[in-house]
Amino acid sequence: MTLNEFDRESPYARNIQWERQSLFVDEVQPRMVVSGLGASLLGVLMSQNLGMVELMVWLAICFVVSLGSYLVLTKQRRILGRAFDNNHVYRLVYWHRVNLLIALTWGVLWSVGPWLFLDGANQSQVFALLLFVMVMSSMPSVTMGTYPDIFLLFIIPVFSSLFILLWPSSTPLLLAVAAMSGLSLAVFSLMTHKRQMNSIRLRLEHQLARQQASEADQAKSRFLAAASHDLRQPLQAANLYLQAFQGRLLEPDELLDKAKESVSSANDLLTKLLDMSLIDADVVTVTVQNCYLGNILHSLETEFTPLALEKGLALDITPAPIQVSTDPVLLLQILRNLLDNAIKYTESGSVSVSLELRGEQASLRIEDTGSGIAESEQRDVFKEFYRTAHTRKSEPGIGLGLSIVRRLCEQLRLELNMISVPGEGTRFSLSLPICLDAAISTLPGEPVAPLPEHFTALVVDDHEQVRDALSAMLVEWNGDVWAASDHAELTMLLEQMTSAPDVLLTDDMLADGHRSEDCIQTVQAFFPGTCCVVLTGNTSLGGIQRLSHAHWPVLHKPIDSSVLQGTLSRLLASKRVSASK
């Protein structure tokens, strides 16, 4: 729908009227003071044609009309407000009539002026009065455009009175000037009205287009979140079952490896959708700190070397014994996406990560010998859901990796450059600020303490397959597992337990309406100090924003067993350290 299709009952049409009213009041209210001073100044300048009593009466009337108009417009602004309010639209008609009355009052006042001041005036004084009236009449420029009826109701009495007064005794030239002055102001008012209404319509059409684009973007996010959430539950169960089953095998199984690869691909897809949801929700927290780049690269080498060997690629990551100032978690995510793309889309040859120092900056380069990217597509590869012609044929994916890289680099204010030659390969370079400070923060990828030989875990999840698979995984890790499907069952288990659990793993949203906060609060009430981990498949913007304020780790389904094991290891190790103090 366009604004041209809006009828009088449309809220957008009423919004146009509201915009006109706001423009009118904003300009005319302060002009009431100027008009009063102008009328008073005219009386003073023409005082030789008036007696003292007439002059005082004129000044008093100017003061009363000016003050009254100002107060009425002030009340009008206070009652209607500055923003569009659908409940007050009906008042616009009433206040428009009030404004017409104000215009008529000023028109009558100025129409009386010539009869008072031109008695015995010479031709120079007549021209001066005409010029003064022209200037004062053309001052309310916004009024001329927003409400030409109000403006015409003001100038018609003024120029009609002046023309009638001059008719018997003035020259044709003077009469023509007076008539053309009034007519030109009227025509200019109508022309200004047309331009101003077009401007208002264009502005509101732009607002409408932005609103529709925002709604479409929100609908896309809701769809992705819903689809992601529905897929995460069975995928989480399948992932945990496969990893628990693999732990029982004595020899590698090719069929199991292919099943894990399929689940891993689906997991990668949902993870990228989640990353985009996190960025859209504006909950990506940037924590700039000093970190060893070498530790991050070592973590990547450990993670991606098996993937490169599977494809017969040489992975060469140069040691980087320097400190950089950035967010290590987000940097790791950027480099992980770049390396994943490089290995995925390189059929033969090598993938390398090298470092070049340039003053206070370190240039980190990720190069591959893949097919390269055509020059016509190099700008588009950083857009959401864009895939080059070659990647669409060679590997599955949805085209989010480089979009995530670009947006995270913007968050970290890092310069990212790409050079790609079709048939030869692609090089990404990332400029990182070098830090000489000796204080180093904990880095992702650093080794964590192993799980204890025995621990007690509470599992709360309303999805039976996920609950059983997670329990099986924890049992494989020597955990004593107590599982519940809802908050009521969790409470019953807590009443039966004779000793405190080590950790609670709870789904974020349960079928009975309770959330992770409720489960954590209940467990803490029974056994204070219990460690907690929130597991969620909720990727809606509201859910992500709410969980961003959680005090415990939040893991998004489907959860990789190594990530879960590392999280539990850190929590339980921290708990043991606290207990020993």
Side-chain angles (χ1 to χ4, degrees):
M1 180 180 290
T2 65
L3 286 172
N4 293 329
E5 298 171 320
F6 295 152
D7 56 26
R8 291 184 179 181
E9 298 302 320
S10 168
Y12 296 98
R14 292 197 295 268
N15 211 339
I16 292 177
Q17 299 304 320
W18 198 275
E19 186 88 2
R20 294 172 65 191
Q21 180 72 16
S22 298
L23 289 172
F24 174 82
V25 175
D26 286 345
E27 166 139 340
V28 174
Q29 183 190 25
R31 290 289 171 86
M32 291 299 96
V33 177
V34 177
S35 297
L37 293 175
S40 301
L41 178 61
L42 179 62
V44 173
L45 294 175
M46 296 291 183
S47 59
Q48 66 270 21
N49 297 329
L50 294 176
M52 181 57 67
V53 175
E54 289 86 350
L55 178 60
M56 296 306 296
V57 170
W58 172 259
L59 293 177
I61 292 174
C62 292
F63 175 78
V64 171
V65 173
S66 177
L67 179 62
S69 302
Y70 183 85
L71 293 176
V72 168
L73 289 168
T74 301
K75 182 178 180 181
Q76 185 177 160
R77 170 180 285 182
R78 186 177 67 252
I79 292 176
L80 294 180
R82 299 296 299 275
F84 176 79
D85 186 347
N86 200 39
N87 297 325
H88 288 163
V89 169
Y90 72 94
R91 292 179 176 266
L92 291 180
V93 176
Y94 167 77
W95 284 111
H96 183 66
R97 293 172 181 169
V98 171
N99 295 332
L100 287 171
L101 181 59
I102 293 175
L104 181 60
T105 302
W106 278 102
V108 171
L109 178 64
W110 280 93
S111 66
V112 172
W115 296 89
L116 292 175
F117 304 133
L118 294 184
D119 184 19
N122 56 38
Q123 192 169 357
S124 298
Q125 289 177 319
V126 173
F127 268 110
L129 177 62
L130 182 59
L131 179 62
F132 193 84
V133 171
M134 278 284 295
V135 172
M136 295 301 296
S137 299
S138 61
M139 283 179 63
S141 56
V142 172
T143 312
M144 298 168 68
T146 53
Y147 292 107
D149 55 343
I150 294 178
F151 182 71
L152 292 176
L153 194 58
F154 165 68
I155 66 170
I156 288 175
V158 176
F159 283 92
S160 298
S161 173
L162 185 61
F163 189 83
I164 293 172
L165 179 63
L166 296 176
W167 175 263
S169 58
S170 296
T171 63
L173 177 61
L174 191 58
L175 289 173
V177 170
M180 290 302 296
S181 297
L183 183 62
S184 63
L185 285 174
V187 172
F188 184 68
S189 171
L190 296 175
M191 293 175 60
T192 304
H193 171 70
K194 184 177 180 180
R195 288 196 301 269
Q196 204 162 71
M197 291 303 296
N198 285 335
S199 175
I200 292 174
R201 287 191 181 96
L202 288 173
R203 184 162 62 251
L204 292 179
E205 282 182 343
H206 177 66
Q207 292 176 359
L208 177 61
R210 289 183 60 185
Q211 180 183 351
Q212 290 174 340
S214 176
E215 290 173 354
D217 186 64
Q218 291 175 3
K220 177 206 73 175
S221 296
R222 286 194 299 269
F223 169 76
L224 292 178
S228 178
H229 179 270
D230 292 342
L231 289 172
R232 281 175 184 274
Q233 299 293 359
L235 191 59
Q236 170 68 32
N239 187 43
L240 293 176
Y241 277 132
L242 287 172
Q243 295 185 32
F245 183 63
Q246 187 179 37
R248 300 181 181 183
L249 294 178
L250 299 178
E251 296 180 0
D253 186 281
E254 183 180 356
L255 187 61
L256 180 62
D257 289 340
K258 290 183 178 180
K260 284 187 63 181
E261 183 178 346
S262 299
V263 172
S264 177
S265 297
N267 186 23
D268 182 63
L269 168 64
L270 291 177
T271 299
K272 284 183 168 58
L273 289 175
L274 174 62
D275 290 339
M276 292 299 297
S277 297
L278 288 170
I279 297 173
D280 288 338
D282 197 24
V283 295
V284 176
T285 302
V286 177
T287 306
V288 176
Q289 51 192 246
N290 304 338
C291 52
Y292 279 120
L293 184 58
N295 285 7
I296 296 177
L297 296 183
H298 176 72
S299 173
L300 291 169
E301 187 174 22
T302 302
E303 178 180 353
F304 286 98
T305 295
L307 299 178
L309 291 176
E310 284 182 13
K311 295 194 68 174
L313 303 175
L315 177 61
D316 180 21
I317 298 182
T318 304
I322 64 168
Q323 305 170 27
V324 293
S325 179
T326 188
D327 185 312
V329 175
L330 298 185
L331 176 61
L332 182 65
Q333 190 173 359
I334 291 171
L335 297 177
R336 182 179 284 129
N337 274 291
L338 291 175
L339 267 177
D340 181 64
N341 272 7
I343 293 175
K344 184 183 296 182
Y345 300 118
T346 300
E347 299 300 327
S348 61
S350 64
V351 174
S352 64
V353 179
S354 58
L355 185 70
E356 181 181 353
L357 302 182
R358 297 179 176 178
E360 296 182 354
Q361 296 288 316
S363 179
L364 194 62
R365 297 176 177 176
I366 298 91
E367 300 181 71
D368 64 62
T369 58
S371 59
I373 302 170
E375 186 176 356
S376 60
E377 295 184 294
Q378 290 184 10
R379 287 189 177 183
D380 295 330
V381 294
F382 292 99
K383 297 178 180 178
E384 289 84 356
F385 306 105
Y386 184 85
R387 304 189 70 208
T388 65
H390 173 75
T391 58
R392 285 195 296 268
K393 297 176 182 178
S394 59
E395 291 286 343
I398 57 173
L400 282 177
L402 290 181
S403 173
I404 293 171
V405 168
R406 173 183 62 82
R407 296 175 70 171
L408 288 178
C409 285
E410 291 173 354
Q411 294 266 353
L412 293 174
R413 299 181 180 179
L414 298 179
E415 181 182 352
L416 176 68
N417 295 303
M418 180 187 74
I419 298 175
S420 186
V421 179
E424 296 185 14
T426 303
R427 180 178 72 192
F428 291 92
S429 58
L430 194 63
S431 184
L432 300 168
I434 299 175
C435 181
L436 302 178
D437 193 341
I440 303 299
S441 303
T442 302
L443 299 171
E446 289 184 348
V448 296
L451 283 170
E453 293 183 1
H454 176 78
F455 63 94
T456 303
L458 270 171
V459 174
V460 184
D461 200 304
D462 55 2
H463 196 283
E464 183 178 1
Q465 290 180 330
V466 174
R467 188 171 64 251
D468 291 347
L470 182 58
S471 299
M473 176 63 65
L474 294 172
V475 169
E476 286 292 324
W477 296 340
N478 298 321
D480 181 14
V481 181
W482 297 59
S485 60
D486 53 33
H487 185 266
E489 191 173 349
L490 170 65
T491 305
M492 292 176 57
L493 289 178
L494 291 170
E495 292 173 348
Q496 298 172 13
M497 297 183 74
T498 57
S499 59
D502 294 297
V503 64
L504 165 70
L505 296 95
T506 176
D507 189 22
D508 178 45
M509 300 180 67
L510 301 176
D512 60 1
H514 286 88
R515 291 181 172 178
S516 55
E517 299 94 322
D518 303 318
C519 296
I520 291 173
Q521 185 177 3
T522 300
V523 171
Q524 295 287 352
F526 276 86
F527 301 105
T530 302
C531 300
C532 303
V533 179
V534 178
L535 313 176
T536 180
N538 181 12
T539 55
S540 66
L541 298 188
I544 293 172
Q545 289 170 338
R546 179 175 57 83
L547 290 175
S548 67
H549 303 294
H551 299 294
W552 295 103
V554 178
L555 303 181
H556 292 272
K557 300 176 182 178
I559 304 160
D560 186 82
S561 62
S562 60
V563 174
L564 177 60
Q565 186 175 20
T567 301
L568 293 178
S569 298
R570 282 187 288 271
L571 283 176
L572 297 180
S574 176
K575 183 178 180 181
R576 289 196 301 270
V577 172
S578 299
S580 63
K581 292 182 179 179

